[in-house]
């Protein structure tokens, strides 16, 4: 997975544009960026409007989220805002100069960190329960053919026991330890502020028995063959990341769904009243379009079912999230 995504010539390393292969909330609607901008405004207040407000997008893809937020910021906010895209892929030519583009997160952050669909692309190993006990699954990178490999490391076994216990032969666990470490390193860099991870996720009480490893290419799901031709992703054990973030210094946590988080931030899918179609057809159409986009972002069977993990350091969680 590491080689296929980030190695020489890997899917992301060579600069594949996520929007050409799958649809994230960022591509679905600018209303997602508007909701994040609202969260940023709350974080800004909690921090006492610092002279430099960091906005870090980890796994920024094409940078669309930062471009939207920067574009709609007031001149006062834009003057203090330090937008940083953390992205392994090369910087697209159309990203404004005001946005810093770098391959690794900054050492110290005061502000808001957002990681939308980043953790599901952090490479992991799969362990399968066999009649001889748990085994790390080995994959032929050319064909995707799998076979049982060595016993997992003690650290992987410990993680599985705590977060994804295997019961029957054939059961599989996607060992989310690298995601926990990746998330902890983000929270650990927060001096003061909020970090939010948004992703396909599951919790211990409802892990998918056979795992979620999936490939994406050109908008379709394909076999997860790690040959560099497709995106390879697996849902995120966000409850495990929560514990890792707390160990890394998070002082407050909220684990919720995108549906609830976005509703708390004012994104609702309710349609405009039909009378408006007669009194103001243009406004009606605009409101209908907004409602459609909001409905997609909050659809419990789709993007709305994503997990939102919000953890703060040195400040309380923003009130809208606490109340939502
Ligand atoms: C699924 S895309 C999400 C893009 C964007 N956040 C969005 O919502 O449209 C995941 C991105 O994370 C980037 N990525 C993954 N691991 C990374 C890492 N360790 N450092 C920087 N970028 C990373 C990949 O290159 C890819 O562009």
């Amino acid at each position: 997975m590491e080689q296929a995504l980030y190695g020489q010539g890997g899917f992301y390393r060579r600069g594949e544009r996520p929007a050409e292969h799958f649809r994230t909330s960022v591509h679905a609607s600018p209303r997602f960026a508007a909701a994040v901008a609202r969260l940023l405004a709350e974080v800004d207040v909690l921090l006492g409007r610092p002279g430099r407000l960091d906005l870090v997008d980890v796994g920024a893809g094409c940078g669309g989220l930062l471009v939207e937020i920067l574009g709609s910021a007031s001149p006062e906010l834009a003057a203090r805002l330090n937008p940083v895209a953390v992205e392994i892929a090369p910087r697209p030519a159309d990203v404004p100069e005001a946005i810093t583009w770098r391959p690794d997160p900054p050492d110290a952050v005061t502000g808001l960190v957002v990681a939308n669909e980043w953790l599901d692309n952090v490479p992991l190993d799969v362990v399968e329960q066999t009649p001889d006990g748990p085994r790390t699954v080995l994959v032929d990178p050319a064909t995707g053919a799998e076979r049982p490999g060595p016993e997992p490391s003690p650290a992987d076994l410990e993680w599985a026991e705590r977060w994804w216990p295997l019961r029957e032969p054939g059961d599989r666990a996607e060992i989310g330890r690298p995601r926990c470490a990746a998330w902890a390193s983000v929270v650990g860099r927060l001096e003061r502020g909020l970090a939010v991870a948004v992703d396909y996720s599951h919790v211990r009480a409802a892990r998918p028995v056979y795992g979620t490893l999936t490939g994406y290419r050109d908008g379709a799901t394909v076999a997860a063959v790690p040959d560099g031709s497709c995106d390879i992703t697996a849902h995120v054990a966000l409850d495990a990341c929560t514990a890792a973030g707390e160990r890394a210094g998070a002082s407050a946590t909220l684990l919720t769904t995108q549906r609830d988080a976005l509703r708390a931030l004012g994104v609702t899918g309710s349609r405009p009243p039909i009378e408006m179609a007669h009194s103001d057809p243009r406004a009606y159409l605009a409101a209908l379009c907004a409602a459609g986009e909001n409905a997609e972002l909050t659809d419990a069977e789709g993007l709305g079912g994503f997990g939102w993990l919000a953890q703060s350091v040195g400040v309380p969680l923003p009130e809208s999230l606490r109340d939502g």
Side-chain angles (χ1 to χ4, degrees):
M1 195 169 168
E2 177 78 45
Q3 282 301 315
L5 297 182
Y6 310 115
Q8 208 58 35
F11 183 81
Y12 282 117
R13 170 79 63 187
R14 67 172 178 259
E16 286 288 345
R17 296 198 145 216
E20 279 159 24
H21 298 277
F22 44 83
R23 190 170 163 88
T24 70
S25 296
V26 175
H27 316 129
S29 167
R31 285 158 212 291
F32 181 77
V36 175
R38 253 168 266 149
L39 200 54
L40 177 69
E42 282 194 67
V43 171
D44 187 29
V45 171
L46 287 170
L47 291 169
R49 300 187 197 280
R52 193 199 74 201
L53 178 67
D54 297 321
L55 172 60
V56 182
D57 185 359
V58 185
C62 307
L65 181 65
L66 293 176
V67 172
E68 289 277 350
I69 295 177
L70 186 62
S72 63
S74 67
E76 187 280 325
L77 180 61
R80 292 186 292 117
L81 198 60
N82 176 35
V84 180
V86 178
E87 179 51 62
I88 284 175
R91 177 188 187 111
D94 53 0
V95 167
E97 245 175 57
I99 295 174
T100 302
W101 197 271
R102 49 183 290 168
D104 51 356
D107 286 341
V109 175
T110 299
L112 176 64
V113 181
V114 180
N116 188 55
E117 295 202 32
W118 168 53
L119 289 173
D120 67 279
N121 280 138
V122 172
L124 46 56
D125 281 329
V126 173
V127 167
E128 182 168 322
Q129 186 69 19
T130 74
D132 301 324
R135 293 288 182 270
T136 300
V137 176
L138 298 181
V139 190
D140 181 330
T143 64
E146 295 178 350
R147 64 187 167 88
E151 279 184 36
S153 69
D156 281 357
L157 282 174
E158 196 183 310
W159 189 94
E161 211 160 282
R162 169 76 183 85
W163 294 109
W164 195 326
L166 295 168
R167 297 195 171 85
E168 311 279 328
D171 283 4
R172 288 180 152 214
E174 290 153 359
I175 306 296
R177 210 162 55 83
R179 279 101 182 264
C180 293
W183 182 244
S185 87
V186 164
V187 173
R189 286 159 201 261
L190 255 189
E191 294 204 321
R192 287 172 75 230
L194 182 73
V196 179
V198 180
D199 234 305
Y200 306 85
S201 67
H202 41 59
V203 293
R204 187 183 149 131
R207 302 280 186 230
V209 176
Y210 304 114
T212 61
L213 203 65
T214 309
Y216 282 97
R217 183 169 50 233
D218 301 332
T221 53
V222 295
V225 179
D227 60 0
S229 70
C230 59
D231 179 31
I232 294 183
T233 161
H235 296 199
V236 182
L238 269 186
D239 50 351
C241 295
T242 303
E246 283 165 356
R247 283 196 299 278
S251 44
T253 289
L254 174 76
L255 181 55
T256 185
T257 61
Q258 168 145 312
R259 181 181 179 82
D260 287 347
L262 288 188
R263 284 184 162 183
L265 291 165
V267 176
T268 69
S270 46
R271 296 161 70 101
I274 188 71
E275 307 79 62
M276 197 175 164
H278 305 292
S279 59
D280 190 345
R282 258 168 196 270
Y284 178 75
L285 271 184
L288 203 58
C289 172
E293 289 182 2
N294 289 353
E296 181 179 0
L297 290 174
T298 54
D299 174 11
E301 301 300 316
L303 294 171
F306 276 32
W308 266 54
L309 169 59
Q311 296 193 299
S312 64
V313 173
V315 292
L317 290 171
E319 209 161 307
S320 59
L321 288 186
R322 270 183 288 152
D323 296 347

